Amino acid sequence: MARKQASEISSLTINDADSISSGYGLIDYVADSTGLFPRGAIVELAGLKSTSKTSLVLDTIAYNMHINPNFRVLYADFESMIYNQADYLRKLGVDIHSPNFVLISPSTMEEGCNAIRKELKLSQYDMIVVDT
C-alpha cells in the first residue's frame, strides 16, 4: 500500500451512505477510508480504562449531529455518567436534550436490551451506543 501524504489524508471524504465518520479524517483513514463506524455493523471499541473510548464516540455524535441535524442517536448509558458530564457534552456539541438524542440509563443488561428493543420498534436510529 502506498503511503499517503498528510495533505491527502486531510482531504479525504467519507461515503456517508456506507459509514458514519468519526469527524477525524486520520482515524477514518486508518479505518480503511470507510469511516470508523460502518452502517449496519457492530463496532466494539476496546481498551484500557480512561483511554477516551467514550470521548471518541461522543465526538463522533457531536460531529454528525452538527453536519446533519436529523442524525438520530440511541445512547444506552450503563454507567450513568452522561448526566454527570452535561457541561463536557455541551462543550463537545452533544445536545442530550435534543429529540434526536435518546438516552436510556438501565440498571441491568436485561433492562437495557429490553429498552433498546422497545426503542427500535418505535423509531430508527443512525447510531446506537451501548456504553458499559
PDB file of all heavy atoms in Angstrom, residues 106-125:
ATOM      1  N   PRO A 106     -30.110   2.228  31.894  1.00  0.00           N
ATOM      2  CA  PRO A 106     -30.614   0.998  32.517  1.00  0.00           C
ATOM      3  C   PRO A 106     -29.737   0.567  33.699  1.00  0.00           C
ATOM      4  O   PRO A 106     -28.551   0.888  33.765  1.00  0.00           O
ATOM      5  CB  PRO A 106     -30.539  -0.022  31.381  1.00  0.00           C
ATOM      6  CG  PRO A 106     -29.493   0.496  30.464  1.00  0.00           C
ATOM      7  CD  PRO A 106     -29.504   1.987  30.592  1.00  0.00           C
ATOM      8  N   SER A 107     -30.346  -0.179  34.603  1.00  0.00           N
ATOM      9  CA  SER A 107     -29.625  -0.692  35.774  1.00  0.00           C
ATOM     10  C   SER A 107     -28.962  -2.029  35.475  1.00  0.00           C
ATOM     11  O   SER A 107     -27.938  -2.371  36.067  1.00  0.00           O
ATOM     12  CB  SER A 107     -30.584  -0.893  36.947  1.00  0.00           C
ATOM     13  OG  SER A 107     -31.312   0.266  37.190  1.00  0.00           O
ATOM     14  N   THR A 108     -29.574  -2.810  34.582  1.00  0.00           N
ATOM     15  CA  THR A 108     -29.045  -4.133  34.263  1.00  0.00           C
ATOM     16  C   THR A 108     -28.957  -4.284  32.744  1.00  0.00           C
ATOM     17  O   THR A 108     -29.595  -3.541  31.997  1.00  0.00           O
ATOM     18  CB  THR A 108     -29.965  -5.249  34.806  1.00  0.00           C
ATOM     19  OG1 THR A 108     -31.232  -5.167  34.129  1.00  0.00           O
ATOM     20  CG2 THR A 108     -30.165  -5.119  36.318  1.00  0.00           C
ATOM     21  N   MET A 109     -28.204  -5.269  32.314  1.00  0.00           N
ATOM     22  CA  MET A 109     -28.079  -5.542  30.880  1.00  0.00           C
ATOM     23  C   MET A 109     -29.431  -5.965  30.303  1.00  0.00           C
ATOM     24  O   MET A 109     -29.800  -5.552  29.211  1.00  0.00           O
ATOM     25  CB  MET A 109     -27.015  -6.614  30.632  1.00  0.00           C
ATOM     26  CG  MET A 109     -26.650  -6.782  29.185  1.00  0.00           C
ATOM     27  SD  MET A 109     -26.021  -5.291  28.378  1.00  0.00           S
ATOM     28  CE  MET A 109     -24.370  -5.198  29.014  1.00  0.00           C
ATOM     29  N   GLU A 110     -30.186  -6.768  31.049  1.00  0.00           N
ATOM     30  CA  GLU A 110     -31.501  -7.197  30.574  1.00  0.00           C
ATOM     31  C   GLU A 110     -32.431  -5.992  30.384  1.00  0.00           C
ATOM     32  O   GLU A 110     -33.109  -5.872  29.364  1.00  0.00           O
ATOM     33  CB  GLU A 110     -32.121  -8.181  31.568  1.00  0.00           C
ATOM     34  CG  GLU A 110     -33.481  -8.686  31.131  1.00  0.00           C
ATOM     35  CD  GLU A 110     -34.093  -9.675  32.111  1.00  0.00           C
ATOM     36  OE1 GLU A 110     -33.531  -9.912  33.191  1.00  0.00           O
ATOM     37  OE2 GLU A 110     -35.171 -10.199  31.770  1.00  0.00           O
ATOM     38  N   GLU A 111     -32.438  -5.094  31.349  1.00  0.00           N
ATOM     39  CA  GLU A 111     -33.258  -3.884  31.248  1.00  0.00           C
ATOM     40  C   GLU A 111     -32.826  -3.046  30.044  1.00  0.00           C
ATOM     41  O   GLU A 111     -33.658  -2.516  29.309  1.00  0.00           O
ATOM     42  CB  GLU A 111     -33.113  -3.067  32.537  1.00  0.00           C
ATOM     43  CG  GLU A 111     -33.962  -1.832  32.598  1.00  0.00           C
ATOM     44  CD  GLU A 111     -33.716  -1.037  33.880  1.00  0.00           C
ATOM     45  OE1 GLU A 111     -33.680  -1.658  34.967  1.00  0.00           O
ATOM     46  OE2 GLU A 111     -33.550   0.193  33.786  1.00  0.00           O
ATOM     47  N   GLY A 112     -31.525  -2.952  29.824  1.00  0.00           N
ATOM     48  CA  GLY A 112     -31.000  -2.191  28.684  1.00  0.00           C
ATOM     49  C   GLY A 112     -31.395  -2.804  27.356  1.00  0.00           C
ATOM     50  O   GLY A 112     -31.813  -2.093  26.437  1.00  0.00           O
ATOM     51  N   CYS A 113     -31.265  -4.117  27.237  1.00  0.00           N
ATOM     52  CA  CYS A 113     -31.630  -4.799  25.988  1.00  0.00           C
ATOM     53  C   CYS A 113     -33.122  -4.636  25.703  1.00  0.00           C
ATOM     54  O   CYS A 113     -33.515  -4.402  24.557  1.00  0.00           O
ATOM     55  CB  CYS A 113     -31.258  -6.269  26.054  1.00  0.00           C
ATOM     56  SG  CYS A 113     -29.482  -6.555  25.961  1.00  0.00           S
ATOM     57  N   ASN A 114     -33.943  -4.742  26.736  1.00  0.00           N
ATOM     58  CA  ASN A 114     -35.394  -4.560  26.549  1.00  0.00           C
ATOM     59  C   ASN A 114     -35.709  -3.132  26.123  1.00  0.00           C
ATOM     60  O   ASN A 114     -36.549  -2.914  25.251  1.00  0.00           O
ATOM     61  CB  ASN A 114     -36.150  -4.927  27.826  1.00  0.00           C
ATOM     62  CG  ASN A 114     -36.155  -6.420  28.078  1.00  0.00           C
ATOM     63  OD1 ASN A 114     -35.999  -7.223  27.155  1.00  0.00           O
ATOM     64  ND2 ASN A 114     -36.313  -6.811  29.325  1.00  0.00           N
ATOM     65  N   ALA A 115     -35.045  -2.153  26.719  1.00  0.00           N
ATOM     66  CA  ALA A 115     -35.280  -0.752  26.359  1.00  0.00           C
ATOM     67  C   ALA A 115     -34.828  -0.472  24.926  1.00  0.00           C
ATOM     68  O   ALA A 115     -35.508   0.237  24.180  1.00  0.00           O
ATOM     69  CB  ALA A 115     -34.552   0.168  27.334  1.00  0.00           C
ATOM     70  N   ILE A 116     -33.698  -1.040  24.533  1.00  0.00           N
ATOM     71  CA  ILE A 116     -33.205  -0.856  23.163  1.00  0.00           C
ATOM     72  C   ILE A 116     -34.195  -1.478  22.171  1.00  0.00           C
ATOM     73  O   ILE A 116     -34.555  -0.867  21.169  1.00  0.00           O
ATOM     74  CB  ILE A 116     -31.790  -1.438  22.994  1.00  0.00           C
ATOM     75  CG1 ILE A 116     -30.779  -0.575  23.767  1.00  0.00           C
ATOM     76  CG2 ILE A 116     -31.402  -1.522  21.519  1.00  0.00           C
ATOM     77  CD1 ILE A 116     -29.392  -1.202  23.897  1.00  0.00           C
ATOM     78  N   ARG A 117     -34.651  -2.700  22.462  1.00  0.00           N
ATOM     79  CA  ARG A 117     -35.634  -3.362  21.590  1.00  0.00           C
ATOM     80  C   ARG A 117     -36.895  -2.503  21.442  1.00  0.00           C
ATOM     81  O   ARG A 117     -37.415  -2.335  20.347  1.00  0.00           O
ATOM     82  CB  ARG A 117     -36.016  -4.730  22.164  1.00  0.00           C
ATOM     83  CG  ARG A 117     -35.330  -5.858  21.487  1.00  0.00           C
ATOM     84  CD  ARG A 117     -35.939  -7.196  21.886  1.00  0.00           C
ATOM     85  NE  ARG A 117     -34.850  -8.045  22.315  1.00  0.00           N
ATOM     86  CZ  ARG A 117     -34.559  -8.370  23.575  1.00  0.00           C
ATOM     87  NH1 ARG A 117     -35.296  -7.961  24.566  1.00  0.00           N
ATOM     88  NH2 ARG A 117     -33.540  -9.136  23.842  1.00  0.00           N
ATOM     89  N   LYS A 118     -37.366  -1.974  22.558  1.00  0.00           N
ATOM     90  CA  LYS A 118     -38.570  -1.141  22.542  1.00  0.00           C
ATOM     91  C   LYS A 118     -38.356   0.103  21.679  1.00  0.00           C
ATOM     92  O   LYS A 118     -39.200   0.452  20.856  1.00  0.00           O
ATOM     93  CB  LYS A 118     -38.933  -0.730  23.970  1.00  0.00           C
ATOM     94  CG  LYS A 118     -40.146   0.150  24.063  1.00  0.00           C
ATOM     95  CD  LYS A 118     -40.396   0.566  25.505  1.00  0.00           C
ATOM     96  CE  LYS A 118     -41.469   1.623  25.573  1.00  0.00           C
ATOM     97  NZ  LYS A 118     -41.590   2.194  26.911  1.00  0.00           N
ATOM     98  N   GLU A 119     -37.214   0.778  21.848  1.00  0.00           N
ATOM     99  CA  GLU A 119     -36.919   1.981  21.069  1.00  0.00           C
ATOM    100  C   GLU A 119     -36.816   1.678  19.581  1.00  0.00           C
ATOM    101  O   GLU A 119     -37.242   2.476  18.747  1.00  0.00           O
ATOM    102  CB  GLU A 119     -35.621   2.640  21.560  1.00  0.00           C
ATOM    103  CG  GLU A 119     -35.781   3.449  22.806  1.00  0.00           C
ATOM    104  CD  GLU A 119     -36.708   4.638  22.631  1.00  0.00           C
ATOM    105  OE1 GLU A 119     -36.740   5.261  21.547  1.00  0.00           O
ATOM    106  OE2 GLU A 119     -37.430   4.954  23.588  1.00  0.00           O
ATOM    107  N   LEU A 120     -36.237   0.533  19.244  1.00  0.00           N
ATOM    108  CA  LEU A 120     -36.078   0.178  17.834  1.00  0.00           C
ATOM    109  C   LEU A 120     -37.414  -0.111  17.167  1.00  0.00           C
ATOM    110  O   LEU A 120     -37.542   0.032  15.956  1.00  0.00           O
ATOM    111  CB  LEU A 120     -35.122  -1.001  17.680  1.00  0.00           C
ATOM    112  CG  LEU A 120     -33.664  -0.685  18.015  1.00  0.00           C
ATOM    113  CD1 LEU A 120     -32.808  -1.937  17.912  1.00  0.00           C
ATOM    114  CD2 LEU A 120     -33.123   0.427  17.130  1.00  0.00           C
ATOM    115  N   LYS A 121     -38.412  -0.507  17.939  1.00  0.00           N
ATOM    116  CA  LYS A 121     -39.753  -0.698  17.383  1.00  0.00           C
ATOM    117  C   LYS A 121     -40.436   0.637  17.126  1.00  0.00           C
ATOM    118  O   LYS A 121     -41.276   0.753  16.253  1.00  0.00           O
ATOM    119  CB  LYS A 121     -40.602  -1.541  18.323  1.00  0.00           C
ATOM    120  CG  LYS A 121     -40.198  -2.993  18.364  1.00  0.00           C
ATOM    121  CD  LYS A 121     -41.061  -3.775  19.339  1.00  0.00           C
ATOM    122  CE  LYS A 121     -40.589  -5.226  19.411  1.00  0.00           C
ATOM    123  NZ  LYS A 121     -41.355  -5.981  20.409  1.00  0.00           N
ATOM    124  N   LEU A 122     -40.047   1.653  17.909  1.00  0.00           N
ATOM    125  CA  LEU A 122     -40.681   2.964  17.802  1.00  0.00           C
ATOM    126  C   LEU A 122     -40.036   3.877  16.767  1.00  0.00           C
ATOM    127  O   LEU A 122     -40.706   4.724  16.191  1.00  0.00           O
ATOM    128  CB  LEU A 122     -40.639   3.679  19.165  1.00  0.00           C
ATOM    129  CG  LEU A 122     -41.369   2.994  20.311  1.00  0.00           C
ATOM    130  CD1 LEU A 122     -41.101   3.726  21.624  1.00  0.00           C
ATOM    131  CD2 LEU A 122     -42.863   2.939  20.018  1.00  0.00           C
ATOM    132  N   SER A 123     -38.749   3.730  16.562  1.00  0.00           N
ATOM    133  CA  SER A 123     -38.042   4.688  15.716  1.00  0.00           C
ATOM    134  C   SER A 123     -36.787   4.068  15.119  1.00  0.00           C
ATOM    135  O   SER A 123     -36.325   3.019  15.561  1.00  0.00           O
ATOM    136  CB  SER A 123     -37.661   5.908  16.565  1.00  0.00           C
ATOM    137  OG  SER A 123     -37.123   6.914  15.753  1.00  0.00           O
ATOM    138  N   GLN A 124     -36.238   4.754  14.104  1.00  0.00           N
ATOM    139  CA  GLN A 124     -34.970   4.348  13.507  1.00  0.00           C
ATOM    140  C   GLN A 124     -33.875   5.267  14.004  1.00  0.00           C
ATOM    141  O   GLN A 124     -34.112   6.455  14.249  1.00  0.00           O
ATOM    142  CB  GLN A 124     -35.038   4.419  11.992  1.00  0.00           C
ATOM    143  CG  GLN A 124     -35.945   3.387  11.384  1.00  0.00           C
ATOM    144  CD  GLN A 124     -35.890   3.432   9.864  1.00  0.00           C
ATOM    145  OE1 GLN A 124     -35.696   4.475   9.272  1.00  0.00           O
ATOM    146  NE2 GLN A 124     -36.057   2.278   9.251  1.00  0.00           N
ATOM    147  N   TYR A 125     -32.687   4.723  14.129  1.00  0.00           N
ATOM    148  CA  TYR A 125     -31.536   5.485  14.618  1.00  0.00           C
ATOM    149  C   TYR A 125     -30.374   5.338  13.665  1.00  0.00           C
ATOM    150  O   TYR A 125     -30.190   4.290  13.044  1.00  0.00           O
ATOM    151  CB  TYR A 125     -31.139   4.998  16.018  1.00  0.00           C
ATOM    152  CG  TYR A 125     -32.200   5.300  17.041  1.00  0.00           C
ATOM    153  CD1 TYR A 125     -33.215   4.386  17.312  1.00  0.00           C
ATOM    154  CD2 TYR A 125     -32.206   6.506  17.710  1.00  0.00           C
ATOM    155  CE1 TYR A 125     -34.195   4.683  18.237  1.00  0.00           C
ATOM    156  CE2 TYR A 125     -33.185   6.813  18.632  1.00  0.00           C
ATOM    157  CZ  TYR A 125     -34.169   5.893  18.886  1.00  0.00           C
ATOM    158  OH  TYR A 125     -35.151   6.193  19.792  1.00  0.00           O
TER     159      TYR A 125
END
